[in-house]
Amino acid sequence: MAIELGHTTPVTRPSAPALRLGGLGRFARPSPARERMLFTERLALLLETDNPLHTSLSILGRESGGSAFEPIVRKIHEDIGSGLPFSQALARHPDVFSSTYVNLVAAGEQGGFLPAVLSELVSMEDKAARLRATIASSFAYPAFLVVFSIGVVLFVLTVVFPKFRELFQAIADQLPVTTLVLMTLSDVLRQHWAAILGGLGATVGVLVFWLRQRVGVEALDRLKLATPFIRNIFIELYLTQSMRVIGLSLGHGVSVPDTLRACREVVRNHLFTQFMDRVATEVNEGHGLAAGFSASDLVPPLARQMLVAGEESGKLPLVTTRLADFYERELTKRLTVFSKMIEPLMLLVMGAVVGLIVASLILPIFKLSRAVH
């Protein structure tokens, strides 16, 4: 069943040089996403209180004085004053306003519900920010434990072990294998630290360069969707992002092709982008949106069934919004479980490593004490 929705004229997005967005004030430097959300929220409030768009932009331009966002607001205000539609004025700043944002604003302009669209964009940005914060917090503590563990091991090997070298020379032939290995590693680290640091730096540089190339990006994208457990995290993340865009866009009359292009922009994974291309092909051939999603193993059975039901009932925007909320909750639960599992596991690994190092120091000391007695 193909979807027939009101089509909005796609907004042409001219190429523009990258905009350097700073923060408000000398020390605070909010991200462009944060500045965009504040701009959208204030503009929605002004429009809801019956202020004309041109006047609202003038007020925002004055309020944003001193920030890096000010010239953008003033340029949009000038373009509106010269007769350019609001969506076209936004499209002149592609580094700030995505095609999703611009197309939804265009739909709101044409339908006469711009304040409602802006409010929903604020809500979408807020949910995306909370999801990013959840992901960051889930990985922050494990990352700290890894760095701390490496620091402790390096300190012991380079500072503590050398102090016992002369003491252990008397029983060198009786030292445990772990002690001999750690002492050798300690010598290598102390004598060749410059070469090791240089090698690590070169390796990181090559890896970063490779990951910036298309082949590296595609390899990392495949790894994300091929690693057990990690695959489920990224699939739920991508479905949350894409379903929220689809629900918001279709609910406000954005055409299906424009909606799918917006999904390509939101989801940063070339495999998922190729999947969206296949969905667009299915839609162009008249098979409907649900048919394209049902043909991919990237979409769980539950989502397939709900999309088919939503398309048949004509409530696809509502269904996709519900799916976005559902997968966001599932992702949050999965990240919480991951965090609770990884923390004791990391502590266990740290304890085992530290215990091995301590045992490698204490056992030779016991042997020395027995030899003395």
Side-chain angles (χ1 to χ4, degrees), residues 309-328:
E311 197 167 56
E312 291 177 349
S313 64
K315 296 183 178 179
L316 197 55
L318 175 62
V319 168
T320 50
T321 300
R322 293 283 179 85
L323 280 172
D325 293 336
F326 171 77
Y327 282 114
E328 182 176 0

Side-chain angles (χ1 to χ4, degrees), residues 193-211:
W193 62 268
I196 293 173
L197 285 179
L200 286 175
T203 301
V204 171
V206 170
L207 182 61
V208 170
F209 175 79
W210 181 70
L211 288 175

Side-chain angles (χ1 to χ4, degrees), residues 288-348:
L289 194 66
F293 275 87
S294 299
S296 174
D297 61 352
L298 294 175
V299 182
L302 174 64
R304 300 178 192 177
Q305 295 171 6
M306 291 188 66
L307 287 171
V308 171
E311 197 167 56
E312 291 177 349
S313 64
K315 296 183 178 179
L316 197 55
L318 175 62
V319 168
T320 50
T321 300
R322 293 283 179 85
L323 280 172
D325 293 336
F326 171 77
Y327 282 114
E328 182 176 0
R329 291 193 299 270
E330 289 298 303
L331 178 59
T332 301
K333 292 177 185 177
R334 192 180 297 276
L335 290 172
T336 301
V337 171
F338 169 78
S339 180
K340 289 182 178 180
M341 288 176 57
I342 199 67
E343 288 175 14
L345 181 62
M346 290 298 303
L347 290 173
L348 183 63

